[in-house]
Amino acid sequence: MIITVQMVLNRLIEPVGHLEPTVDTLKSGRLNAEVRKVAVTFMATYAVIKQAVESGVDLIITHEPTYYNHKDEVEWLAGDPVYERKRMLIEESGISIFRLHDYVHKYKPDGILVGMLKKLKWEAYANPEKMNLLTIPSDEQHTVRTIVTHLKNKLDIDSVLVAGDPEMPVRRFGLMPGASGGRSHIKCFESKNIDLLIVGETNEWETNEYVRDAMDMGLSKALIITGHQNSEEAGMLTVVEMMREALPDLQVDFIASPLAVKRI
Amino acid sequence: MIITVQMVLNRLIEPVGHLEPTVDTLKSGRLNAEVRKVAVTFMATYAVIKQAVESGVDLIITHEPTYYNHKDEVEWLAGDPVYERKRMLIEESGISIFRLHDYVHKYKPDGILVGMLKKLKWEAYANPEKMNLLTIPSDEQHTVRTIVTHLKNKLDIDSVLVAGDPEMPVRRFGLMPGASGGRSHIKCFESKNIDLLIVGETNEWETNEYVRDAMDMGLSKALIITGHQNSEEAGMLTVVEMMREALPDLQVDFIASPLAVKRI
């Protein structure tokens, strides 16, 4: 049986139903193109696309944008040498690229969150109704610092950013991968009565300052910022598993990336 | 002569003229309140406001918001314990708080940029027409790494984030304090033909990924991210100097803050 891009997309969209509007669109390629090999990745970087093309991948499924902005708008990039070279690589190769961002976050439960809980071995901590709320069992003791150590080990990262007291004991905490914004972070602190929130990325003047103020008021609140890629990349393994199960005739590989920035 | 909040604001607004819309509004206090003592700060944190109140400050001039969002919208924060405690401190003290963000960036040249160039001792590098474009004289040699060292020394910071090759020689570079957004960063690379861009804060999926792709294409581009507060706080010293000169009867102090987050 021939599998097309459209058939793969149908499978990815099916748990949610058609969304409108969404950033999850086909960024390149054709819906009726045949797919034999799929690469799943966090970000369709130039290096990822090049590796995929060279290894005969027909379809890249990427969580984040291809062209440096959430909506993959490209008019403003016309003539830019980085954009033009990337577009050329994509067009000349004929590879299909589909963004899977809104759909995977709307899976029940959120596919990225599930993948991260698995990677962190925190499935047992998660509230079954609201899996981004975690509770540490009463026979375990954790502080912000011991949770930082756990995150660094499991995600293989050198350091994280912390607001609040590292020695603060933690019982209930929130896990919000990605960059969901200051309001959603702050509302999570308030509405869920958590001690600690772990996020991917913030705006400095939002969540960071809220937690700084809370600490200066003597309230027991802390924040850990892991970096956006660190907080979501392993979540895309959920999609790899799902695709392998649903379409066993496809070859589905995961392409991980180094971080874009180094700390110096 | 009695100096009022309105008179101070008139002086701050005068170089630009009245802006509409703007986030630069009076967040608390009264326009006709008397001012004898002013505190200038990067961010009106709980600790800064407390220190200001205790030392008899009548007016805080803050570059960044008071309530964890750019527009200082507060409806969504009603009942939040951190918000309510901060609002209570402000209201009970009667202190006036004015945000000076849009105006100071519209001074010609940008007051924050001027303050940062001074702090960095880079005034001589700046293009007089476009002061965020800097050129290293031909008798000086710099790489991304030597510029990182300079930034760390002058701004007293432990580390920065770097995309691109640290050993890349730098001749022309851009300095964009704050978080002006991926499009403005990327357009600066392209339109100004710079090797290196130094910014305060990014969204990971925007500028960082553009520079990662550029490097993977073999293009000589690099990015240094200092952190938002690191990139702008010293810029507010421009306002301290301006106020002391314009209104010598006022006592004008600068309140610096530690960073909200620590790296662990």
Side-chain angles (χ1 to χ4, degrees):
Chain A
M1 187 185 75
I2 288 179
I3 299 173
T4 62
V5 170
Q6 182 70 69
M7 290 162 71
V8 177
L9 269 47
N10 289 348
R11 181 62 192 84
L12 294 169
I13 289 170
E14 183 265 318
V16 180
H18 189 69
L19 290 176
E20 192 70 51
T22 176
V23 294
D24 292 9
T25 58
L26 196 66
K27 308 300 177 182
S28 70
R30 292 173 298 109
L31 288 171
N32 61 355
E34 183 175 356
V35 181
R36 274 164 294 200
K37 198 168 172 181
V38 171
V40 174
T41 196
F42 170 70
M43 177 87 65
T45 66
Y46 183 77
V48 164
I49 297 166
K50 205 152 174 278
Q51 181 183 335
V53 168
E54 283 164 7
S55 64
V57 165
D58 308 294
L59 170 64
I60 296 174
I61 299 169
T62 178
H63 186 59
E64 292 295 352
T66 304
Y67 294 121
Y68 325 118
N69 69 102
H70 184 55
K71 294 184 174 174
D72 274 322
E73 290 170 343
V74 295
E75 297 72 16
W76 65 285
L77 284 164
D80 179 283
V82 180
Y83 163 68
E84 294 293 355
R85 204 176 289 209
K86 191 169 191 175
R87 187 177 62 80
M88 196 95 77
L89 169 68
I90 292 168
E91 284 182 7
E92 286 180 356
S93 71
I95 200 165
S96 295
I97 302 178
F98 179 69
R99 183 165 181 206
L100 183 73
H101 179 275
D102 298 347
Y103 287 105
V104 70
H105 280 306
K106 283 193 185 293
Y107 290 175
K108 291 190 188 310
D110 180 327
I112 297 292
L113 182 66
V114 166
M116 293 310 301
L117 288 171
K118 195 167 184 179
K119 180 84 176 174
L120 290 163
K121 302 207 182 301
W122 277 350
E123 291 118 315
Y125 289 180
N127 179 328
E129 307 296 311
K130 186 83 182 144
M131 294 187 74
N132 64 357
L133 287 179
L134 297 92
T135 306
I136 293 166
S138 55
D139 62 340
E140 287 182 42
Q141 302 302 322
H142 268 293
T143 62
V144 174
R145 192 182 295 278
T146 64
I147 287 178
V148 166
T149 303
H150 183 86
L151 286 165
K152 284 155 72 171
N153 288 339
K154 293 294 180 207
L155 302 181
D156 192 26
I157 49 184
D158 292 333
S159 63
V160 298
L161 292 172
V162 175
D165 177 8
E167 313 315 329
M168 187 188 87
V170 177
R171 187 60 56 196
R172 279 168 61 82
F173 65 105
L175 177 64
M176 299 178 81
S180 58
R183 289 190 190 212
S184 75
H185 296 160
I186 291 168
K187 283 182 173 174
C188 183
F189 267 112
E190 171 50 8
S191 65
K192 306 304 178 192
N193 191 28
I194 52 173
D195 311 311
L196 164 71
L197 183 62
I198 302 168
V199 304
E201 187 174 8
T202 63
N203 294 316
E204 262 189 50
W205 63 93
E206 297 177 340
T207 321
N208 305 30
E209 294 297 337
Y210 176 87
V211 179
R212 177 217 291 265
D213 276 356
M215 186 177 62
D216 286 341
M217 290 169 186
L219 301 173
S220 293
K221 301 282 174 210
L223 172 72
I224 298 174
I225 308 169
T226 62
H228 195 139
Q229 182 179 332
N230 289 326
S231 80
E232 289 199 310
E233 187 173 44
M236 285 298 276
L237 291 168
T238 302
V239 178
V240 173
E241 285 176 25
M242 184 179 122
M243 297 292 299
R244 283 180 183 159
E245 196 170 313
L247 298 162
D249 292 342
L250 284 185
Q251 184 181 337
V252 182
D253 296 327
F254 183 69
I255 303 184
S257 292
L259 296 181
V261 294
K262 287 192 176 60
R263 184 154 293 273
I264 296 186
Chain B
M1 187 185 77
I2 288 179
I3 299 174
T4 63
V5 171
Q6 182 69 68
M7 289 162 70
V8 177
L9 269 47
N10 288 347
R11 181 61 192 86
L12 294 169
I13 289 169
E14 182 265 317
V16 180
H18 190 69
L19 290 176
E20 191 72 50
T22 176
V23 294
D24 292 10
T25 58
L26 196 66
K27 308 300 178 181
S28 69
R30 293 174 297 110
L31 288 172
N32 62 354
E34 184 177 354
V35 181
R36 274 164 296 201
K37 199 167 173 182
V38 172
V40 174
T41 195
F42 171 69
M43 177 87 65
T45 67
Y46 183 78
V48 163
I49 297 167
K50 205 151 172 281
Q51 181 183 334
V53 168
E54 283 164 6
S55 63
V57 165
D58 308 294
L59 170 64
I60 296 174
I61 299 169
T62 178
H63 187 59
E64 292 295 352
T66 304
Y67 294 121
Y68 325 119
N69 70 101
H70 184 56
K71 293 184 174 175
D72 274 321
E73 291 170 343
V74 295
E75 297 74 16
W76 65 285
L77 285 165
D80 179 283
V82 179
Y83 163 68
E84 295 293 355
R85 203 176 290 209
K86 192 169 191 175
R87 187 176 63 80
M88 196 95 77
L89 169 68
I90 293 168
E91 284 182 8
E92 286 180 355
S93 70
I95 200 165
S96 296
I97 301 178
F98 179 69
R99 183 164 180 207
L100 183 73
H101 179 275
D102 299 347
Y103 286 105
V104 70
H105 280 307
K106 283 193 186 292
Y107 290 175
K108 291 193 189 309
D110 179 327
I112 298 292
L113 182 66
V114 166
M116 294 309 301
L117 288 171
K118 195 167 184 177
K119 180 84 175 173
L120 289 163
K121 302 209 182 299
W122 277 350
E123 292 118 316
Y125 288 1
N127 179 329
E129 306 296 311
K130 186 84 181 143
M131 293 186 74
N132 65 356
L133 287 179
L134 296 92
T135 305
I136 294 167
S138 55
D139 61 340
E140 287 182 42
Q141 301 302 321
H142 268 293
T143 63
V144 174
R145 192 182 296 279
T146 64
I147 287 178
V148 166
T149 303
H150 183 86
L151 286 165
K152 284 156 73 171
N153 289 340
K154 294 294 179 205
L155 302 180
D156 192 25
I157 50 184
D158 293 334
S159 62
V160 298
L161 293 172
V162 175
D165 177 8
E167 314 314 329
M168 187 187 88
V170 176
R171 188 60 56 196
R172 278 168 62 82
F173 64 105
L175 177 64
M176 299 179 80
S180 58
R183 288 189 192 213
S184 75
H185 296 161
I186 291 168
K187 282 182 174 176
C188 183
F189 266 112
E190 171 51 6
S191 65
K192 306 303 178 193
N193 191 30
I194 52 172
D195 311 311
L196 165 71
L197 183 62
I198 303 168
V199 303
E201 187 174 9
T202 63
N203 293 315
E204 261 189 50
W205 63 92
E206 297 177 342
T207 321
N208 304 29
E209 294 298 336
Y210 176 87
V211 179
R212 178 217 291 265
D213 276 356
M215 185 178 62
D216 286 341
M217 290 169 186
L219 301 173
S220 293
K221 300 283 173 209
L223 173 71
I224 299 173
I225 307 168
T226 62
H228 195 139
Q229 182 180 330
N230 289 326
S231 79
E232 289 199 309
E233 188 173 43
M236 285 297 276
L237 292 169
T238 301
V239 178
V240 173
E241 284 177 25
M242 184 179 121
M243 297 294 297
R244 284 180 183 160
E245 196 170 313
L247 298 163
D249 292 342
L250 284 184
Q251 183 180 338
V252 181
D253 296 327
F254 183 69
I255 303 183
S257 293
L259 296 181
V261 293
K262 286 191 175 59
R263 184 153 293 273
I264 296 186

